[in-house]
């Protein structure tokens, strides 16, 4: 694949800059426009599919991007890719696996201990891994220090590059679907779960429970902790009769039905291509489009992508 570069932006003429900004929607974030041998645009921005699938996305065309999504299913390998080989070994051994994230050391401490207590009581083979948050790296480091200092029985990603890559891939999944105009397909389970996980991350924390490759629950941190804390008193009999997997899933579902806040997605104009409309992954209603001014000096804010809790509009 031949490529060319200019030694300084000043050599690019203004009409070319105008074309790139208007036609290719370039603003401040890097994009990767793919041209075919005839010079036609084969993909308006292939950077997202490169983060998700790497070289498997070659030749990085929109047709290839659509084909790759048709092959995907909602599974743990899609989330972790090859970031951590240890998790792939757990998947092969069909173990129960908790992926979890957040920036509250107290919640992490309680969650890890409750999960281990329930695992012993229910006699399941459980592994856990902390994968941080999409931003607030300083607070994530405090959690990593807590896990290490207190010797909490949980695996964690000490390298921030692994955490960064995990969240970059997740956000790329959403932007890839937006680019393909497929972000609001009600039948697309992968997209609905990705949007839900991204929203839970910005709402404070999240959990993903899987057995091997199969994801059982993709949920909010506090609801996941409450589910574990109520094991002995409420759903232990269900778990012993039908299995830990349906026991946890059903009780989490009951709690979530009572407390299920909707979401708000905020996209920086620097991203270039943003959706004209988007459905909430919880209530499935179309969201209101708003304009927000955010100071760029706030280092806790991800300039590219923000999500927070928001009550649904009354209709």
């Amino acid at each position: 694949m031949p490529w060319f570069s200019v030694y300084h932006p000043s050599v690019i003429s203004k009409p070319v800059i105008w074309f790139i900004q208007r036609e290719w929607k370039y603003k401040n974030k890097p994009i990767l426009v793919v041209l075919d041998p005839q010079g036609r645009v084969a993909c308006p921005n292939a950077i997202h599919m490169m983060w998700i699938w790497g070289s498997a996305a070659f030749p990085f065309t929109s047709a290839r991007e659509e084909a790759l999504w048709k092959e995907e299913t909602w599974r743990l390998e899609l989330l972790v890719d090859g970031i951590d080989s240890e998790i792939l070994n757990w998947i092969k051994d069909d173990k129960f696996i908790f992926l979890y994230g957040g920036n509250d050391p107290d919640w992490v401490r309680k969650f890890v201990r409750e999960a281990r207590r329930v695992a012993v009581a229910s006699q399941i083979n459980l592994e856990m891994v902390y994968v941080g948050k999409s931003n607030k790296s300083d607070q994530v480091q405090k959690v990593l220090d807590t896990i290490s200092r207190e010797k909490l029985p949980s695996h964690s990603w000490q390298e921030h590059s692994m955490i960064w890559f995990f969240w970059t891939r997740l956000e790329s999944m959403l932007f890839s679907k937006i680019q393909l105009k497929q972000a609001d397909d009600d039948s697309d389970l992968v997209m609905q779960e990705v949007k839900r996980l991204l929203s839970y991350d910005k709402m404070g924390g999240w959990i993903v429970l899987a057995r091997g490759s199969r994801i059982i629950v993709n949920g909010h941190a506090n609801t996941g902790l409450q589910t574990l804390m109520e094991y002995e008193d409420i759903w232990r009999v269900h778990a012993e009769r039908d299995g830990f997997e349906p026991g946890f899933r059903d009780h989490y579902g009951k709690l979530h039905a009572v407390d299920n806040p909707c979401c708000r997605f905020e996209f920086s104009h620097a991203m270039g291509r943003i959706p004209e409309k988007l459905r909430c992954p919880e209530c499935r209603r179309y969201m209101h489009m708003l304009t927000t001014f955010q100071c760029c000096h706030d280092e806790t804010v991800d300039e590219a992508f923000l999500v927070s809790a928001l009550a649904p509009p009354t209709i």
Side-chain angles (χ1 to χ4, degrees), residues 157-222:
W157 290 346
Q158 295 294 326
E159 295 183 23
H160 283 267
S161 60
M162 297 171 69
I163 296 174
W164 173 86
F165 187 45
F166 176 84
W167 291 106
T168 296
R169 289 186 69 255
L170 268 182
E171 292 174 3
S172 291
M173 292 177 195
L174 176 57
F175 289 125
S176 171
K177 284 289 189 175
I178 289 173
Q179 183 169 266
L180 293 172
K181 294 181 169 48
Q182 297 176 359
D184 273 341
D185 184 353
D186 286 338
S187 64
D188 190 339
L189 175 63
V190 174
M191 194 68 267
Q192 302 310 320
E193 294 297 337
V194 166
K195 288 197 293 186
R196 188 172 286 116
L197 180 52
L198 288 168
S199 69
Y200 290 154
D201 170 62
K202 295 301 191 297
M203 290 162 62
W206 58 276
I207 64 161
V208 166
L209 175 63
R211 183 169 188 179
S213 178
R214 187 175 63 260
I215 295 177
I216 302 168
V217 167
N218 170 26
H220 189 272
N222 292 333

Side-chain angles (χ1 to χ4, degrees), residues 130-144:
Y130 172 72
V131 299
K133 284 182 68 68
S134 58
N135 55 14
K136 300 183 179 179
S137 59
D138 290 343
Q139 295 181 36
V140 168
Q141 187 58 54
K142 290 181 181 179
V143 175
L144 292 171

Side-chain angles (χ1 to χ4, degrees), residues 7-50:
Y7 68 87
H8 194 275
S10 62
V11 304
I12 305 176
S13 64
K14 288 185 179 180
V16 173
I17 294 175
W18 175 85
F19 176 86
I20 292 173
Q21 290 176 333
R22 178 169 177 174
E23 300 299 323
W24 290 356
K25 311 300 181 184
Y26 171 76
K27 291 191 177 178
N28 297 320
K29 297 291 181 179
I31 63 172
L32 183 62
V33 180
V34 179
L35 306 179
D36 68 12
Q38 286 72 43
R40 297 170 300 196
V41 174
C43 180
N45 189 5
I47 201 165
H48 304 308
M49 75 172 96
M50 292 185 71

Side-chain angles (χ1 to χ4, degrees), residues 252-265:
Y252 176 90
K254 292 177 182 177
L255 296 176
H256 181 68
V258 176
D259 182 20
N260 55 343
C262 289
C263 308
R264 181 178 68 199
F265 291 76

Side-chain angles (χ1 to χ4, degrees), residues 23-279:
E23 300 299 323
W24 290 356
K25 311 300 181 184
Y26 171 76
K27 291 191 177 178
N28 297 320
K29 297 291 181 179
I31 63 172
L32 183 62
V33 180
V34 179
L35 306 179
D36 68 12
Q38 286 72 43
R40 297 170 300 196
V41 174
C43 180
N45 189 5
I47 201 165
H48 304 308
M49 75 172 96
M50 292 185 71
W51 286 130
I52 302 168
W53 296 289
S55 60
F58 182 84
F60 309 110
T61 62
S62 296
R64 179 58 178 160
E65 190 172 18
E66 290 191 51
L68 287 168
W69 274 123
K70 288 179 181 179
E71 298 171 3
E72 283 295 351
T73 57
W74 180 236
R75 56 198 174 95
L76 199 57
E77 291 94 334
L78 176 63
L79 294 182
V80 300
D81 191 51
I83 300 173
D84 190 340
S85 59
E86 189 70 19
I87 298 178
L88 298 180
N89 291 332
W90 297 341
I91 292 173
K92 292 177 183 177
D93 294 338
D94 200 37
K95 293 182 177 182
F96 283 96
I97 304 167
F98 262 126
L99 264 63
Y100 65 99
N103 60 350
D104 184 351
D106 290 335
W107 177 87
V108 169
R109 187 182 297 111
K110 293 176 184 177
F111 177 73
V112 171
R113 290 173 178 170
E114 281 296 317
R116 290 301 179 189
R117 182 187 64 80
V118 172
V120 172
S122 57
Q123 298 181 333
I124 63 169
N125 195 347
L126 175 69
E127 301 289 353
M128 307 182 70
V129 57
Y130 172 72
V131 299
K133 284 182 68 68
S134 58
N135 55 14
K136 300 183 179 179
S137 59
D138 290 343
Q139 295 181 36
V140 168
Q141 187 58 54
K142 290 181 181 179
V143 175
L144 292 171
D145 293 340
T146 298
I147 293 173
S148 177
R149 183 177 59 255
E150 299 182 13
K151 295 181 170 55
L152 297 179
S154 173
H155 183 54
S156 60
W157 290 346
Q158 295 294 326
E159 295 183 23
H160 283 267
S161 60
M162 297 171 69
I163 296 174
W164 173 86
F165 187 45
F166 176 84
W167 291 106
T168 296
R169 289 186 69 255
L170 268 182
E171 292 174 3
S172 291
M173 292 177 195
L174 176 57
F175 289 125
S176 171
K177 284 289 189 175
I178 289 173
Q179 183 169 266
L180 293 172
K181 294 181 169 48
Q182 297 176 359
D184 273 341
D185 184 353
D186 286 338
S187 64
D188 190 339
L189 175 63
V190 174
M191 194 68 267
Q192 302 310 320
E193 294 297 337
V194 166
K195 288 197 293 186
R196 188 172 286 116
L197 180 52
L198 288 168
S199 69
Y200 290 154
D201 170 62
K202 295 301 191 297
M203 290 162 62
W206 58 276
I207 64 161
V208 166
L209 175 63
R211 183 169 188 179
S213 178
R214 187 175 63 260
I215 295 177
I216 302 168
V217 167
N218 170 26
H220 189 272
N222 292 333
T223 309
L225 176 58
Q226 184 179 351
T227 302
L228 292 171
M229 294 175 67
E230 295 179 354
Y231 171 74
E232 297 285 350
D233 297 332
I234 301 180
W235 59 280
R236 178 170 186 162
V237 174
H238 180 14
E240 291 176 344
R241 183 184 67 242
D242 301 326
F244 182 82
E245 179 179 333
F248 186 96
R249 181 185 61 240
D250 293 348
H251 192 65
Y252 176 90
K254 292 177 182 177
L255 296 176
H256 181 68
V258 176
D259 182 20
N260 55 343
C262 289
C263 308
R264 181 178 68 199
F265 291 76
E266 298 180 4
F267 299 92
S268 168
H269 287 282
M271 292 307 300
R273 298 178 187 274
I274 58 176
E276 295 181 359
K277 58 183 180 178
L278 199 66
R279 290 183 187 271

